[in-house]
Amino acid sequence: MFNLGVSYYNGEANIDDTLAYAWFLLASEAGSSPGRDAATRSRAEHGESGFRDACLAIGEMYEKGQDLPPSQERAIAWYKRVAEGPGHGVAAERLAGIYLSADNYNDARAWCEAAAKDKMPGGAFCLGYLYQRGLGVKQDFKTAFTWYLQGAKGGNAAATNAVIQMYENGQGTPVDHTEAI
């Protein structure tokens, strides 16, 4: 793990400071003394945002099973390292997605709310999805529409499609084909 971090740091394939830092963190957690030293240097060099990006990269590797064995539990643990503070909506969105796919709607809602609070369009879409379907919340089309609209205004394509369909079907809003178009 440490050597892989070094190869990303030195650019033996591509220079990628985030992946170098991620592999240094993994090496450190595995007990590597050079990995711990490199992770400490990376933290000093890249600060809190670098640490957040490295944790997100590790979470994604575990979530997708790329370069690491797939593990939802480990992905969740890495995402949670950065998701609980302000400005970390990406991790909250990813956690929401994991919990949604596991049909754990209470935890999904909490992370959707955290992402939406951080102004993440995916968090707004997620809340719209839950309210439209009544998953872990009382079904409420008007609230769903409001959340979808917020997500659409933030550029979330799925939220935009949901708004269009709700305008076409008069779900949570009056039928308005012009707005749908």
Side-chain angles (χ1 to χ4, degrees):
M1 289 180 220
F2 170 74
N3 290 336
L4 190 52
V6 169
S7 71
Y8 279 112
Y9 184 81
N10 291 333
E12 292 170 16
N14 286 326
I15 292 178
D16 190 323
D17 291 335
T18 299
L19 286 177
Y21 192 179
W23 285 108
F24 293 151
L25 285 170
L26 287 165
S28 176
E29 293 235 334
S32 167
S33 181
R36 185 174 39 261
D37 294 342
T40 300
R41 284 192 308 276
S42 291
R43 182 137 196 171
E45 186 177 334
H46 300 290
E48 187 61 30
S49 67
F51 176 74
R52 180 187 65 233
D53 293 345
C55 289
L56 289 171
I58 294 169
E60 187 174 339
M61 285 189 279
Y62 276 122
E63 184 179 359
K64 294 181 178 180
Q66 295 174 331
D67 297 324
L68 292 170
S71 171
Q72 295 298 311
E73 291 171 13
R74 289 182 177 165
I76 288 168
W78 282 98
Y79 289 149
K80 281 185 176 181
R81 287 184 180 203
V82 295
E84 294 171 349
H88 305 302
V90 172
E93 280 183 331
R94 291 182 183 176
L95 285 162
I98 289 171
Y99 287 118
L100 271 175
S101 65
D103 297 334
N104 180 341
Y105 303 120
N106 288 329
D107 286 337
R109 187 185 76 246
W111 289 111
C112 292
E113 289 170 349
K117 183 178 178 182
D118 238 17
K119 307 289 187 229
M120 299 299 294
F125 167 77
C126 179
L127 286 169
Y129 182 87
L130 293 173
Y131 278 100
Q132 184 181 27
R133 288 161 177 77
L135 302 171
V137 295
K138 183 178 179 216
Q139 188 174 41
D140 183 337
F141 294 126
K142 188 172 182 173
T143 300
F145 179 79
T146 300
W147 281 115
Y148 280 146
L149 193 58
Q150 182 177 326
K153 288 178 180 177
N156 183 282
T160 302
N161 287 333
V163 167
I164 291 167
Q165 292 198 356
M166 292 184 94
Y167 271 128
E168 288 178 345
N169 299 326
Q171 201 175 49
T173 187
V175 171
D176 191 333
H177 296 293
T178 304
E179 280 296 317
I181 291 170

